[in-house]
Amino acid sequence: MKFLRISILKTLIIALILIVPGNALAQSSASLDRMVSQIESLFPPLEGYVIAVEGSGLTLDLKQGMPVEPGDRLKLIRYGRELFHPVTKKKVGRKETDLGEVEVLEVRKDFSRARALDPTVLPKEGDGVRSPFQKLSFLVAPPQIKSKKKVNADRLRYNLESRLNKHPRFEVSSFDLGLWMIEKKLNIKSALQSRNLEKLHDKTKADFILIPSIRSVKGKMALNYKLVSAVDGALKKQADIMSENLPTPDAPRERERGTQTSFSDKKEVLKFVGKQDYSFEIIDMDVGDLNGDGENEIVLIDRYRVMIFKNQKGYLTRIAQVKTNKVANYFLTVDVADINGNGRDEIFVTNKVGSKLESFALETRPKKKGFHYIWKDVNLHFRIIRPMGEKPVLISQSPGYQDPFRGPITEVIFKKGKFQQGKKLNTPDIYGNHFIIHGLTQQDLNSDGDEETIILDNSYHLRVYSSKGRLVVKSSDYYGHDPRLIEIGVQEDAGGVRQGTSVRFKGRLEFAKIGKARYLVLPINQTLGGGLLSDLVIVENSGLSFLRLTGEGFEKAFESSKQKGFMAASRVIPHKSGKGARVYTLRIDKDFVTKNTHSTFSTYEWPAE
């Protein structure tokens, strides 16, 4: 698979040809075209004329048997002079003036009764009526395979969406209905209940839900589909379409192109330097030059303390501590970078107090001991992203009332002696997709001047979006899968006030340049059993994955060895010489029986290639 550096149009063409093999596409296209034609027939265009005007009432030449019902609204058109092409002199139509809308009141055997909705409009005999050109939006549910024959459900869904998108009046929402159903623990039956359709309407606006399924009928494959209203779940149409062949699982040697989905695997190269164990839970860590002396310090946080260490040959020595109220505060993250430009890195702590945030920033001061507050009681989530070749960027996001994250992600700048929110982060505008500050970074991957947005999605797949919102990478491997939850805000229901919706924590995505090679470093947490999106996730062991960025996409360079516990945080600090890097990891091991927690901070050397 390749991440192609070509034009969007060419990429889409290659995606259609290569992501979906020609034989599978051709074999199933006829049945899919029949399905789209059947859906199209449900929404035919409607045209007619005003044949009589009686006061505010109109008589139209629309009759029973035509696709018109009481309550329908039609455009009212005044026809003018005929229009001719200035060169060919051929008639190309008539001038049209939109007068507004009429509402159909009654449909009879040979005509319909209607009224103009604008009382100032004076319709005339011979005026036209026409159904408005309505763009219909669809959500495609994950196909249900009820056959013993193997069918590639993902490819079938892709083919269905592609066929619908080709129709000039149809569009498929980019909102992932299947993922939403998993997150809400719904099947398609429960998803169509009115209360869940209301929740779905809050996430995305769609007219219809297409529910495909595959079954065998006397040895042949049948594509069944149901078209239901996304508003009330009412069935609009159901049909079976016979199909000789449908997309089958990929052959082992088949290669897909366009949207990259998987990477090759190579051996580990990290060299262990040392580790430090703690008999309590360390929440997060970061690394930076806090006093401007050219040497990095290590910052660790637990739920209420900021602890600063010197790292000497892999072993940590604590040199300072900032302690807060143990009962009131609940630290979530720590990030370190020089945002105010004074040569000393600041410490940014995202802090939860009750159901709100009271985040803060710390910094050393010349010729004064300790760390001092330079920003307090900030109602924002903090995170630092580090694009290669550029200064670190402090990004922020507001907490919501019911959800931990609300609204756009914005940069934080230091201006006129204080920190303040700057411009909105340039994330692609993807319909139905809500970006959060965790598991996100940006980087100009192909040196074209536009930054791609790199995220871990809610299923823990790596995704890369172009600046225009095109999905260019979606990994088949899982990354991240941190077991911790972020809980901010409250919500009210019939049972009273309770905790708001929880969001799974996602670790850092970090780019590093080692020599001439560029890498993306991601955490890997291997879970015990299932629990992909459940509240309880038990991680058996964890490590880091190193993906090399090539001219065509990502390839897996190597993975670190797996160790017990989950990967809570990691940082890669390239050496100033450009030869190799220092790698830091923080693992947490929780015993769910004894409730004991053990934290391990480890140091590795990443030698130059």
Side-chain angles (χ1 to χ4, degrees), residues 269-270 512 514 519 521 546 558 572 580-583 604-608:
V269 299
L270 294 187
I514 308 299
Y519 297 86
V521 184
F546 295 76
F558 61 93
V572 177
R582 184 62 63 91
V583 179
Y604 300 87
E605 190 66 26
W606 183 0

Side-chain angles (χ1 to χ4, degrees), residues 312-518:
Q312 298 175 335
K313 298 181 179 180
Y315 296 93
L316 302 186
T317 302
R318 190 162 68 183
I319 58 176
Q321 175 176 282
V322 177
K323 189 176 180 180
T324 65
N325 186 294
K326 183 177 182 179
V327 177
N329 295 279
Y330 195 89
F331 293 175
L332 298 176
T333 62
V334 64
D335 291 271
V336 175
D338 181 15
I339 301 301
N340 60 18
N342 63 8
R344 304 185 306 275
D345 287 354
E346 300 92 70
I347 301 173
F348 298 92
V349 177
T350 302
N351 178 34
K352 173 187 173 184
V353 177
S355 60
K356 61 179 182 178
L357 293 178
E358 291 185 7
S359 303
F360 59 87
L362 301 168
E363 189 181 52
T364 59
R365 291 177 179 171
K367 299 180 181 180
K368 290 186 178 181
K369 293 183 178 180
F371 289 80
H372 306 269
Y373 288 94
I374 57 174
W375 200 14
K376 294 184 68 175
D377 301 333
V378 187
N379 189 32
L380 293 172
H381 293 273
F382 291 139
R383 216 59 176 152
I384 298 286
I385 60 174
R386 295 177 168 85
M388 287 181 294
E390 300 180 24
K391 294 181 179 179
V393 179
L394 174 61
I395 57 177
S396 65
Q397 194 168 22
S398 299
Y401 174 68
Q402 297 185 5
D403 300 316
F405 302 94
R406 175 180 59 84
I409 300 172
T410 59
E411 295 183 17
V412 175
I413 60 175
F414 189 79
K415 188 176 181 180
K416 297 181 180 180
K418 63 180 182 179
F419 293 100
Q420 51 188 286
Q421 286 185 280
K423 63 181 181 180
K424 177 183 173 182
L425 197 69
N426 185 27
T427 54
D429 185 15
I430 301 173
Y431 186 65
N433 193 83
H434 178 64
F435 289 101
I436 69 171
I437 202 169
H438 291 288
L440 175 145
T441 190
Q442 290 189 325
Q443 180 67 48
D444 183 359
L445 297 176
N446 48 20
S447 302
D448 62 356
D450 292 327
E451 288 188 327
E452 282 74 25
T453 298
I454 302 97
I455 67 166
L456 291 179
D457 65 20
N458 291 334
S459 294
Y460 302 99
H461 295 293
L462 174 68
R463 289 180 181 240
V464 178
Y465 291 98
S466 72
S467 60
K468 296 183 179 179
R470 182 172 59 88
L471 180 64
V472 293
V473 172
K474 181 183 177 183
S475 69
S476 56
D477 293 336
Y478 295 102
Y479 299 97
H481 208 178
D482 196 298
R484 295 172 293 181
L485 294 172
I486 299 176
E487 299 172 330
I488 297 290
V490 297
Q491 58 183 356
E492 297 182 23
D493 55 21
V497 178
R498 60 184 177 85
Q499 179 68 49
T501 304
S502 300
V503 171
R504 185 73 64 190
F505 185 89
K506 299 173 185 176
R508 290 185 181 93
L509 306 182
E510 189 172 15
F511 281 94
K513 186 175 182 180
I514 308 299
K516 295 183 179 181
R518 298 182 296 169

Side-chain angles (χ1 to χ4, degrees), residues 128-155:
V129 290
R130 180 186 301 154
S131 57
F133 183 88
Q134 183 184 7
K135 191 93 170 180
L136 299 176
S137 177
F138 295 82
L139 291 170
V140 179
Q144 303 174 56
I145 309 302
K146 303 176 181 179
S147 170
K148 293 182 180 180
K149 292 185 178 181
K150 293 183 178 181
V151 176
N152 189 323
D154 288 338
R155 182 169 293 157

Side-chain angles (χ1 to χ4, degrees), residues 264-302:
S264 60
D265 193 3
K266 296 185 180 180
K267 64 180 182 179
E268 177 189 1
V269 299
L270 294 187
K271 295 182 179 180
F272 174 73
V273 176
K275 68 177 182 178
Q276 200 116 349
D277 295 323
Y278 300 89
S279 58
F280 58 91
E281 183 176 6
I282 298 175
I283 302 303
D284 197 10
M285 69 91 175
D286 205 353
V287 182
D289 182 4
L290 301 179
N291 54 18
D293 64 355
E295 299 293 332
N296 284 325
E297 285 77 39
I298 311 296
V299 181
L300 307 180
I301 62 168
D302 63 8

Side-chain angles (χ1 to χ4, degrees), residues 200-214:
L200 179 62
H201 184 73
D202 291 337
K203 294 290 185 181
T204 183
K205 303 296 186 288
D207 299 302
F208 295 99
I209 299 174
L210 180 67
I211 307 170
S213 63
I214 299 298

Side-chain angles (χ1 to χ4, degrees), residues 20-253:
V20 183
N23 59 338
L25 188 60
Q27 291 164 348
S28 60
S29 62
S31 57
L32 300 187
D33 286 340
R34 287 199 299 274
M35 180 199 71
V36 172
S37 296
Q38 291 178 7
I39 295 175
E40 180 185 30
S41 67
L42 299 174
F43 312 101
L46 181 68
E47 288 188 297
Y49 290 90
V50 176
I51 57 177
V53 179
E54 300 174 2
S56 61
L58 308 176
T59 302
L60 311 179
D61 66 344
L62 305 177
K63 56 188 177 181
Q64 290 179 357
M66 299 178 71
V68 59
E69 297 177 358
D72 286 351
R73 293 188 176 188
L74 307 174
K75 293 176 64 176
L76 180 64
I77 302 166
R78 175 71 44 82
Y79 294 113
R81 62 183 177 85
E82 294 182 336
L83 300 176
F84 296 89
H85 193 282
V87 177
T88 64
K89 307 303 180 181
K90 290 184 178 180
K91 180 180 176 181
V92 295
R94 285 187 293 176
K95 183 178 180 180
E96 297 181 356
T97 302
D98 290 338
L99 301 179
E101 290 185 322
V102 300
E103 181 183 13
V104 177
L105 302 176
E106 181 184 6
V107 180
R108 296 188 180 182
K109 181 179 179 181
D110 297 313
F111 62 89
S112 295
R113 300 286 298 168
R115 68 182 180 93
L117 294 178
D118 186 350
T120 65
V121 171
L122 300 176
K124 297 180 180 179
E125 293 181 6
D127 286 344
V129 290
R130 180 186 301 154
S131 57
F133 183 88
Q134 183 184 7
K135 191 93 170 180
L136 299 176
S137 177
F138 295 82
L139 291 170
V140 179
Q144 303 174 56
I145 309 302
K146 303 176 181 179
S147 170
K148 293 182 180 180
K149 292 185 178 181
K150 293 183 178 181
V151 176
N152 189 323
D154 288 338
R155 182 169 293 157
L156 174 60
R157 182 180 178 183
Y158 173 85
N159 289 356
L160 287 168
E161 292 176 344
S162 297
R163 279 296 185 273
L164 288 169
N165 273 326
K166 284 183 177 180
H167 194 284
R169 291 181 59 202
F170 298 161
E171 63 181 0
V172 178
S173 169
S174 62
F175 181 82
D176 195 327
L177 177 62
L179 177 59
W180 180 81
M181 289 166 55
I182 293 173
E183 290 177 331
K184 300 299 181 182
K185 300 179 181 178
L186 302 172
N187 55 31
I188 191 61
K189 184 178 180 180
S190 58
L192 296 179
Q193 295 174 354
S194 58
R195 65 176 184 273
N196 291 321
L197 286 176
E198 290 178 2
K199 295 177 182 178
L200 179 62
H201 184 73
D202 291 337
K203 294 290 185 181
T204 183
K205 303 296 186 288
D207 299 302
F208 295 99
I209 299 174
L210 180 67
I211 307 170
S213 63
I214 299 298
R215 62 190 182 97
S216 296
V217 180
K218 295 183 178 181
K220 294 186 177 182
M221 304 292 283
L223 168 64
N224 173 274
Y225 72 89
K226 295 180 181 179
L227 188 68
V228 301
S229 168
V231 177
D232 57 13
L235 180 65
K236 185 73 174 178
K237 185 176 179 62
Q238 179 176 359
D240 281 304
I241 299 174
M242 298 304 297
S243 179
E244 292 295 329
N245 290 286
L246 288 163
T248 57
D250 296 343
R253 294 184 181 180

